[in-house]
Amino acid sequence: MGKKLIIGNWKMNLTIHEASLYIHKLDKLIVSYSNVEIVVAPSFLALPALSMQVDHSKFKLAAQDFYWRDEGAFTGEVSAHQLRGLVKYALVGHSERRHIFGESGRVIRHKVQAALRNDLIPVLCVGETATERADGETIGALQDQIIEGLANVTSDEAAKVVIAYEPAWAIGAGKTPSPRQINQAINGIRNQVAHLFGDKTARDIRVLYGASVTKDNAASFLDISGVDGLLVGGDSLNAHAFSEIVNKAQEL
Ligand code: PGA
């Protein structure tokens, strides 16, 4: 089994200075780096400074978002092409992008392709809304998002993609699905990947759980069959809490 992948999504938090102090602190709190790949996703602003600061054998960087065109007249945007060499991973289609900023399946598909074309590993975020879950449409909603996000991707490319299962209703809400519900969702995701790209890709593709992960519940998610790591929001802003999550992943 590969290393557990633990990603901290800082969202629109921490200044450049705070980001630098945070990493310094985190490095002291983490016991060992051998079985875990640790990734932080700061704001675009902090990326260049952190890239100079971090030991890249310990920490990888991720972008929280980017625009899918490589360059041009797109005021305010940052492209995957500009992030090339600066980050290893890039989140795509995070629930907040979909629901606050109205990102469509078409845009998300373009972003997955832009990441791959620029040698970034896309972390495609998928998740059902509260209504979809209540209506028994969870698996269908996840599969639709996989089909939309991974259309026009080859199976070699698909094997590199990371998928994060993040139920929209649980993000930042202090609520989580049961282990059984997470297992079912992840099986639904892998079945769809198998359908599109074959069984081997479905086995190889890394699937993370995210939404209200804390230092206290992290180990219970990592125990669920099919979970290859975690995408952590709120608790990743506290170096102590995030280091505990990493240290737990390390022990498993
Ligand atoms: P949360 O956020 O851990 O604060 O629920 C998760 C995410 O948005 O990736």
Side-chain angles (χ1 to χ4, degrees), residues 9 11 91 94-96 125 166 170-174 210-214 231-236:
N9 173 14
K11 308 191 180 183
L91 306 188
H94 185 277
S95 170
E96 285 146 20
C125 303
E166 296 209 301
I171 292 177
S212 295
V213 174
T214 66
L231 178 50
V232 189
D235 245 21
S236 76

Side-chain angles (χ1 to χ4, degrees), residues 22-33 238-244 246-247:
Y22 172 104
I23 287 291
H24 186 70
K25 202 159 147 190
L26 186 63
D27 191 20
K28 291 196 168 147
L29 293 165
I30 289 175
V31 176
S32 157
Y33 293 84
N238 178 311
H240 282 276
F242 193 60
S243 69
E244 274 197 46
V246 169
N247 291 338

Side-chain angles (χ1 to χ4, degrees), residues 101-196:
F101 300 100
E103 239 172 59
S104 67
R106 186 186 74 91
V107 165
I108 290 163
R109 172 163 75 241
H110 283 312
K111 288 188 176 185
V112 168
Q113 287 162 6
L116 292 166
R117 156 171 101 237
N118 286 291
D119 286 329
L120 311 182
I121 299 175
V123 179
L124 174 64
C125 303
V126 298
E128 79 285 4
T129 62
T131 314
E132 284 163 342
R133 177 156 289 279
D135 293 348
E137 287 169 2
T138 297
I139 302 298
L142 296 174
Q143 293 186 332
D144 286 349
Q145 289 171 26
I146 298 288
I147 294 168
E148 275 176 347
L150 298 183
N152 309 332
V153 162
T154 66
S155 45
D156 282 350
E157 288 171 331
K160 294 182 203 149
V161 172
V162 175
I163 296 174
Y165 168 54
E166 296 209 301
W169 53 271
I171 292 177
K175 291 188 274 189
T176 60
S178 68
R180 188 161 163 270
Q181 287 172 323
I182 294 174
N183 182 252
Q184 283 169 341
I186 287 181
N187 286 343
I189 288 168
R190 286 197 201 273
N191 286 343
Q192 189 58 57
V193 171
H195 187 71
L196 295 171

Side-chain angles (χ1 to χ4, degrees), residues 23 46-56 61 86:
I23 287 291
L47 280 175
L50 289 188
S51 173
M52 307 266 276
Q53 180 184 343
V54 301
D55 175 343
H56 289 265
L61 297 174
L86 194 56

